[in-house]
């Protein structure tokens, strides 16, 4: 399949939780196949500085980090397990590598809007802007643990208002595409 392949896209669950997949990325000869690019959605827990060094040769076009929070408290509540400090350490290393020209792909922070985190919509945008990365919001697909904002009209209205304000800010910053996407998701 390699000759006809141009993008490997890994998403769903935590792709990097698979040692087989991490080893594939680390050992695949990407330079011998320069037409292939990689796109990954991850929670960032396996993107330790050591693992980032091991995967330095992977030609990422996009790396989306599912943070789902803007503060340590909400992060711990929404993303049970990995402490914010460790996630932040991994992100800081990734941002440093990008600044040094060692990571060339786009970086996007992602937030699924939940009852536990919708109050941080604006803060999430500020965090992404501070880090100089793209950001996106997503609606929940299911009502896992009764966390979906889609079950509460008031929360949906509050989320809509925050998303519209954030989109207006992005529009003013010249980020028209991001603003349009945000308004599309909001509506």
């Amino acid at each position: 399949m390699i000759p006809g392949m141009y993008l490997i896209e890994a998403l769903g669950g935590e792709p990097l939780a698979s040692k087989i997949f991490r080893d594939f990325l680390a050992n695949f000869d990407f330079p011998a196949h320069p037409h292939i690019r990689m796109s990954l959605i991850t929670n960032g827990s396996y993107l330790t500085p050591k693992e980032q060094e091991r995967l330095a040769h992977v030609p990422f076009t996009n790396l989306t980090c599912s943070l789902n929070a803007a503060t340590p408290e909400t992060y711990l509540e929404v993303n049970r397990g990995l402490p914010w400090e460790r996630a932040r350490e991994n992100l800081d290393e990734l941002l440093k590598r990008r600044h040094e020209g060692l990571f060339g792909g786009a970086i996007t922070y992602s937030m699924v809007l939940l009852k536990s985190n919708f109050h941080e919509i604006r803060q999430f945008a500020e965090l992404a802007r501070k880090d100089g990365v793209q950001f996106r919001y997503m609606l929940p697909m299911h009502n896992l643990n009764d966390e979906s904002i889609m079950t509460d009209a008031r929360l949906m209205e509050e989320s809509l208002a925050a998303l519209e304000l954030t989109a207006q800010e992005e529009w003013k910053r010249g980020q028209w595409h991001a603003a349009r996407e945000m308004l599309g998701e909001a509506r």
Side-chain angles (χ1 to χ4, degrees), residues 102-174:
L102 300 174
F103 181 86
I107 301 171
T108 304
Y109 292 171
S110 181
M111 176 186 233
V112 175
L113 300 177
L114 305 169
K115 291 177 181 176
S116 298
N117 69 6
F118 82 98
H119 63 282
E120 291 188 353
I121 289 173
R122 308 271 323 276
Q123 283 178 281
F124 189 76
E126 291 169 16
L127 171 68
R129 289 177 191 134
K130 181 181 82 53
D131 285 355
V133 301
Q134 300 169 33
F135 59 98
R136 70 176 188 181
Y137 301 96
M138 297 174 60
L139 295 173
M141 295 179 73
H142 306 285
N143 189 21
L144 187 63
N145 298 323
D146 193 36
E147 277 291 315
S148 176
I149 64 165
M150 305 295 284
T151 61
D152 187 315
R154 182 187 60 79
L155 296 183
M156 289 172 53
E157 288 172 14
E158 288 181 34
S159 297
L160 175 61
L163 287 169
E164 287 176 338
L165 280 172
T166 305
Q168 288 172 9
E169 292 167 356
E170 287 303 286
W171 190 269
K172 289 176 186 172
R173 293 177 66 235

Side-chain angles (χ1 to χ4, degrees), residues 8-12 15 21 38-42:
I8 299 171
E9 189 171 29
L11 54 116
F21 183 64
M38 182 74 210
S39 179
L40 176 67
I41 298 176
T42 176

